[in-house]
Amino acid sequence: QVQLVESGGGLAQPGGSMRLSCTSSRTLSRFDSVGWYRQAPGKERESVAIITDGITTIYAGSVKGRFTISRDNAKNMVYLQMNNLKPEDTAVYYCNAKRQVSIEAAVDLWGQGTLVTVSS
């Protein structure tokens, strides 16, 4: 069964940094896009950062300039480097991988999530 596995969450202080990692039982570079999403308590899940074709990156306005998504194909990993963390970044962060397999079907995988708490 294909899985996405996140790691790297935990507690950080405001202004601190943290790196999340995502790996899979499948080759991540074969997906059309791999991204990070987050869901804060009482809020809907939102996109944070997406990387497509290994080069193009897209960021939510709230994290632009602070977060960086990257991938290491040799290690089959996708990372989210988070700098200058703010309390409002507190959320469960999910890794997602999407691939359009046909005009009618797509593969849409989610990890189990990792909790990031930003607090002093």
Side-chain angles (χ1 to χ4, degrees), residues 31-90:
F31 287 87
D32 297 324
S33 68
V34 180
W36 289 93
Y37 293 71
R38 67 187 181 187
Q39 187 166 19
K43 295 188 177 181
E44 293 190 355
R45 190 175 297 188
E46 62 177 358
S47 59
V48 175
I50 298 170
I51 186 165
T52 65
D53 63 42
I55 301 174
T56 303
T57 56
I58 306 168
Y59 296 95
S62 61
V63 306
K64 204 167 187 178
R66 299 188 298 122
F67 290 10
T68 302
I69 188 170
S70 62
R71 70 198 303 170
D72 185 333
N73 291 338
K75 295 182 178 179
N76 198 36
M77 300 285 283
V78 172
Y79 303 103
L80 183 68
Q81 177 66 43
M82 304 184 293
N83 297 328
N84 190 21
L85 284 163
K86 302 177 180 181
E88 51 263 42
D89 295 319
T90 296

